Amino acid sequence: MAFTFFFRDQQVLERVVEHVLPSLAGRIHPRIWDAGAATGQEPYTLTIMFAATMNHFAFDNLRIDATDVESTGQFAQMVEAAIYPADELSRLPEGILDRYFEPNGKTGCFRVIDSVRRRIFYQQNDLLSFQEIGHGYSLVLCKNVLLHFQPVERIEVLRMFHRALAPGGLFATEQTQEMPRELASLFQRVIPDGPLFRKVECGECGAPQPRAA
Ligand SMILES: C[S@@+](CC[C@H](N)C(=O)[O-])C[C@H]1O[C@@H](n2cnc3c(N)ncnc32)[C@H](O)[C@@H]1O
């Protein structure tokens, strides 16, 4: 089972949300891609953060595509069910359990509330296929995944994220991940001390992207 937990890298995610919010406001159907989402704790954390900061109407238009390479369907089932044992939820920030989870009926389990659950669309995807799942993303989040790849694979995956992003879209990763020097012209660091990068337009990076609504 993949190692992940709710509110992992909380400070990174809070800064990501803060920086991406203005670009979401200008879009009719804003999209986010969480690549390597494992069993759902990360995309649900992110979605809860958006729910807490966006107005109700804007939040209901948000789409978060959560993907993972896991191919037995087990992760898909877990993300779609959104049921987690209480001991996994015991260290959530104050107020989150009451506001965004409901008892599931099963002893000791809670389910993410429907309004949050409905924002997440899970699909199986191997990042090493180097095929983007779509275009026009305001944010691609890929944390604790790239470190498992070879340097050349990492570069191709990052190029693919660049194609998937909307103009000016953001890419976020874990604190310890460096942007390869080869890609310095494709991504510009957004904050000096954090793993958050903005897409730089580049004429030679692939086919023109369709504009997102
Ligand atoms: C350590 S977990 C990270 C989960 C979450 N992003 C986090 O930071 O808590 C790594 C995840 O990357 C997924 N993964 C590994 N190789 C992948 C690939 N080639 N394509 C997509 N996902 C991959 C694994 O299945 C696993 O769920």
Side-chain angles (χ1 to χ4, degrees):
M1 195 58 68
F3 179 75
T4 187
F5 54 91
F6 283 97
F7 284 79
R8 183 181 194 185
D9 302 317
Q10 181 177 349
Q11 287 182 347
V12 170
L13 292 181
E14 282 171 350
R15 298 194 80 181
V16 167
V17 167
E18 176 195 326
H19 279 84
V20 81
L21 273 177
S23 69
L24 299 185
R27 287 174 175 266
I28 298 168
H29 296 295
R31 303 180 72 180
I32 285 168
W33 179 9
D34 186 345
T39 41
Q41 290 84 344
E42 178 176 272
Y44 283 123
T45 298
L46 189 65
T47 310
I48 286 169
M49 287 179 173
F50 282 120
T53 44
M54 291 174 88
N55 77 51
H56 177 66
F57 295 107
F59 178 70
D60 282 349
N61 282 325
L62 186 63
R63 176 188 173 106
I64 299 189
D65 289 318
T67 65
D68 201 279
V69 72
E70 197 277 334
S71 60
T72 68
Q74 197 188 358
F75 285 12
Q77 254 178 16
M78 292 176 73
V79 176
E80 277 152 26
I83 297 169
Y84 298 93
D87 59 357
E88 262 201 57
L89 307 173
S90 62
R91 288 192 298 161
L92 291 178
E94 208 181 322
I96 296 291
L97 184 66
D98 288 345
R99 193 159 170 204
Y100 297 106
F101 293 80
E102 55 198 12
N104 173 243
K106 274 206 263 174
T107 319
C109 283
F110 288 82
R111 186 177 208 211
V112 179
I113 57 170
D114 280 353
S115 60
V116 169
R117 228 166 39 80
R118 278 198 298 263
R119 308 287 20 103
I120 296 192
F121 299 81
Y122 180 90
Q123 58 180 288
Q124 195 267 342
N125 171 262
D126 183 357
L127 292 171
L128 296 180
S129 70
F130 310 125
Q131 291 293 312
E132 57 272 32
I133 59 162
H135 296 102
Y137 287 97
S138 297
L139 169 69
V140 174
L141 174 67
C142 185
K143 270 194 320 89
N144 304 303
V145 182
L146 295 171
L147 74 167
H148 299 295
F149 300 162
Q150 296 300 313
V152 284
E153 294 172 334
R154 208 173 296 151
I155 287 172
E156 283 314 304
V157 170
L158 288 165
R159 282 190 199 284
M160 184 260 291
F161 288 155
H162 185 273
R163 293 194 297 275
L165 282 168
L170 297 176
F171 166 68
T173 185
E174 71 272 17
Q175 192 70 50
T176 50
Q177 192 61 239
E178 294 293 332
M179 181 59 68
R181 268 186 305 163
E182 293 87 333
L183 303 183
S185 61
L186 300 194
F187 292 99
Q188 181 182 49
R189 193 177 272 279
V190 175
I191 41 179
D193 55 344
L196 182 61
F197 302 85
R198 188 176 301 284
K199 171 175 174 159
V200 174
E201 288 309 318
C202 159
E204 296 151 25
C205 298
Q209 299 159 32
R211 267 185 78 82

